[in-house]
Amino acid sequence: MKISVFWFRRDLRLQDNTALFHALNSEHEILPVFIFDEEIISELPKDDGRISFIHESLQAINQSLNTFNSSIRVEKGNPMEVWTQLISKYEIDTVFANKDYEPYARKRDTEIHQLLAKNNIAFKLYKDQVIFEESEITKSDGLPYTMFTPYKNKWHEKFQYIDSPPLPFPKKPNFKEKSFDLPALNALGFEKSGIHVQPYTLDAISDYENTRNFPSLDSTSYLSPHLRFGTIGIRQLIAQIPIANTPFINELIWREFFMQILFHFPEVTHHNFKSKYNGVKWRNDETEFQKWCDGQTGYPIVDAGMRQLNETGYMHNRVRMITAGFLCKHLLIDWKWGEAYFANKLLDYELSSNNGNWQWAAGTGCDSAPYFRIFNPTEQIKKFDKNLEYINTWVPEFNSLEYPLPMVEHKFARERALSVYKEGLSSVPFK
Ligand code: FAD
């Protein structure tokens, strides 16, 4: 008997899931599938917190599927090989999935599309992880925005709650009958991580504008890993936020802004968005980089951030800006090194946001901070952690002899950064 397949990727939920909604409204029984893609996971440590979170989310999905007498088929391997096997095992009519805009995923989906087409199987991809995708928000000449403010204004102009309602889930979904047990984490070659994704909350965002920049207040939503892995749908989320909470919605728009940047300019993955910065001569001192990674720079706000990241897989946004700026400007280390370190550690690691924000901090990105804006880490403490609560949490020894002296003097580092950036800019002909 013919079936259709729903392929879970970064949309690990049953509710408000666009492609699943369409799959369940199609004529065939639906086999839910998830593939641990070896191309991605082979580079991760066995106890990676993101793998544990994916596994927990699959468990929750599987439990719900069990209540409909169904189950998820979980595979591990190269997606082309897995799909070749699935095609040989089942008579598949259509594969439904939600779009992923990262360069690797787009290439993979093109290859899978070709494989499916050769076997007369339809591949239907849907917009799901954003309100507006690809070229839905562009300048009047159809070109992508590279500045946030006009993009954001157009987004608000175009957005209507009524056009993006959360998608309903049917009372009697037509899933294929239960045939699989979910493999345990160990059977997949992983171990449970000691680092956990915490639940998101919308309680703290009512006064977001006034509280969001103070790391000790802990007043942000913790939505980022949930948006990354799709344990909440963007429509369902937006429906819970009053449009009057513009500062919060604007942060969600930053996420979409960077996604469309990555979609239109995939080369940012490996290059400066602004090529005029290509001449900046990074110092790239490995010992200094290690001190930054370990939270041993002697600047307590930088060290607090790095230690929070290392211990929890999370860092507050204000502190991400400070630590990233410190690496690029004070230490003159290539933003790609910092980006890669964050990519390894962040539970919410998202190529578009990580790359966009790192390039913002380095001054090389679209709409980035001007290169001569150099945070003074001590002034940042006065503004955002004046009672040292955040610092005391992560660097309890900071006032003792055990704590290292600043690895570089601020004024000296500032002057050095200004001169290296200036020299770099003058060495590349302006385009
Ligand atoms: P909240 O303040 O509650 O914000 C709500 C949501 O808005 C976030 O979950 C996120 O989806 C979005 N958002 C908020 N700020 C930004 C931003 N500056 N850019 C894009 N989206 C934003 N965010 C990631 O999701 N993944 C990353 O890999 C990532 N890397 C970053 C690297 C650097 C150097 C910097 C400065 C920021 C990075 N961010 C990244 C953005 C931001 O720091 C996190 O989204 C935020 O701290 C997550 O915590 P929250 O969900 O509690 O945020």
Side-chain angles (χ1 to χ4, degrees):
M1 201 170 70
K2 269 202 163 186
I3 58 158
S4 284
V5 174
F6 174 71
W7 184 9
F8 280 103
R9 290 113 66 95
R10 36 179 302 163
D11 47 7
L12 301 180
R13 64 185 186 282
L14 298 179
Q15 300 290 338
D16 188 31
N17 183 323
T18 315
L20 183 59
F21 170 80
H22 288 288
L24 292 173
N25 279 307
S26 69
E27 59 184 305
H28 299 287
E29 283 188 344
I30 300 300
L31 170 69
V33 166
F34 181 85
I35 304 170
F36 278 99
D37 182 345
E38 257 166 3
E39 297 283 316
I40 302 171
I41 58 177
S42 58
E43 287 167 18
L44 302 176
K46 281 201 175 344
D47 63 346
D48 192 282
R50 292 159 294 192
I51 298 284
S52 292
F53 183 57
I54 292 174
H55 192 262
E56 277 162 32
S57 307
L58 292 175
Q59 251 170 342
I61 288 174
N62 203 44
Q63 274 165 12
S64 302
L65 288 173
N66 288 173
T67 65
F68 303 115
N69 188 33
S70 183
S71 56
I72 186 165
R73 184 177 174 122
V74 172
E75 299 283 340
K76 183 179 168 195
N78 168 297
M80 278 298 266
E81 287 167 15
V82 171
W83 276 108
T84 307
Q85 279 171 17
L86 290 173
I87 291 168
S88 69
K89 193 163 174 58
Y90 299 101
E91 210 187 321
I92 304 175
D93 182 83
T94 304
V95 175
F96 293 86
N98 288 311
K99 282 193 211 172
D100 184 331
Y101 309 100
E102 295 191 358
Y104 165 75
R106 285 167 67 188
K107 182 170 167 282
R108 176 200 60 201
D109 284 354
T110 306
E111 288 165 8
I112 300 290
H113 193 170
Q114 286 161 355
L115 174 73
L116 295 174
K118 256 194 240 154
N119 290 276
N120 288 322
I121 300 169
F123 189 29
K124 293 195 177 164
L125 285 172
Y126 296 84
K127 171 178 84 170
D128 178 69
Q129 43 171 304
V130 284
I131 298 292
F132 297 116
E133 65 167 7
E134 301 177 356
S135 298
E136 287 186 321
I137 303 275
T138 57
K139 295 192 272 192
S140 46
D141 58 8
L143 291 173
Y145 280 112
T146 57
M147 298 297 279
F148 176 70
T149 304
Y151 174 89
K152 174 201 72 181
N153 293 343
K154 193 64 128 346
W155 194 104
H156 279 290
E157 239 173 69
K158 210 170 163 182
F159 175 70
Q160 300 283 342
Y161 278 98
I162 201 158
D163 294 338
S164 306
L167 294 163
F169 184 74
K171 284 210 173 72
K172 287 192 180 159
N174 190 17
F175 284 116
K176 193 166 165 15
E177 70 184 17
K178 182 168 188 271
S179 327
F180 314 100
D181 289 324
L182 189 80
L185 204 50
N186 298 358
L188 291 160
F190 297 107
E191 289 160 17
K192 200 161 177 56
S193 175
I195 291 186
H196 302 285
V197 169
Q198 57 171 299
Y200 65 84
T201 169
L202 296 178
D203 296 346
I205 62 162
S206 53
D207 197 19
Y208 187 72
E209 176 80 327
N210 295 320
T211 56
R212 55 180 289 232
N213 271 311
F214 300 93
S216 69
L217 294 183
D218 203 16
S219 64
T220 64
S221 68
Y222 289 92
L223 272 163
S224 48
H226 298 277
L227 287 168
R228 168 63 184 83
F229 294 103
T231 45
I232 179 152
I234 187 75
R235 293 153 300 278
Q236 195 182 348
L237 167 63
I238 291 257
Q240 297 171 61
I241 304 166
I243 196 77
N245 195 341
T246 315
F248 188 74
I249 303 238
N250 286 349
E251 294 309 309
L252 296 173
I253 302 178
W254 269 110
R255 172 178 169 270
E256 301 205 355
F257 174 71
F258 284 134
M259 282 204 186
Q260 61 96 38
I261 290 287
L262 182 63
F263 177 80
H264 289 289
F265 307 96
E267 64 278 9
V268 293
T269 311
H270 302 293
H271 302 284
N272 292 331
F273 182 90
K274 289 183 184 148
S275 56
K276 65 178 177 173
Y277 285 92
N278 290 354
V280 172
K281 291 227 164 31
W282 304 111
R283 292 173 57 253
N284 289 348
D285 182 307
E286 290 188 17
T287 314
E288 291 187 3
F289 180 62
Q290 199 53 49
K291 285 189 180 168
W292 177 84
C293 296
D294 295 341
Q296 294 291 347
T297 67
Y299 281 95
I301 189 79
V302 174
D303 295 340
M306 296 309 294
R307 294 184 197 185
Q308 183 183 25
L309 175 65
N310 292 336
E311 286 177 40
T312 67
Y314 180 83
M315 194 197 301
H316 186 276
N317 180 60
R318 167 58 48 186
V319 195
R320 292 189 203 199
M321 287 159 68
I322 299 170
T323 52
F326 185 86
L327 186 81
C328 302
K329 308 270 174 76
H330 287 73
L331 303 183
L332 283 167
I333 290 179
D334 192 338
W335 59 265
K336 294 187 209 73
W337 291 31
E339 185 202 22
Y341 190 76
F342 271 31
N344 273 333
K345 295 280 173 184
L346 281 173
L347 288 170
D348 64 25
Y349 166 58
E350 166 90 78
L351 175 55
S352 52
S353 288
N354 199 39
N355 180 280
N357 279 290
W358 268 98
Q359 294 225 38
W360 179 91
T364 61
C366 61
D367 207 358
S368 52
Y371 78 86
F372 46 81
R373 185 168 162 211
I374 299 175
F375 287 136
N376 178 333
T378 314
E379 290 300 314
Q380 292 287 308
I381 297 176
K382 287 188 199 151
K383 284 190 192 153
F384 301 113
D385 192 32
K386 68 173 187 313
N387 297 329
L388 307 176
E389 288 160 87
Y390 178 74
I391 289 174
N392 272 320
T393 306
W394 297 105
V395 193
E397 85 288 11
F398 91 96
N399 243 342
S400 73
L401 288 175
E402 273 169 59
Y403 188 61
L405 291 171
M407 63 189 286
V408 61
E409 200 249 325
H410 169 71
K411 197 160 173 284
F412 163 80
R414 183 173 185 282
E415 297 302 324
R416 180 174 65 182
L418 288 175
S419 105
V420 168
Y421 267 78
K422 236 183 249 165
E423 206 178 302
L425 279 168
S426 62
S427 70
V428 175
F430 185 71
K431 279 194 213 155

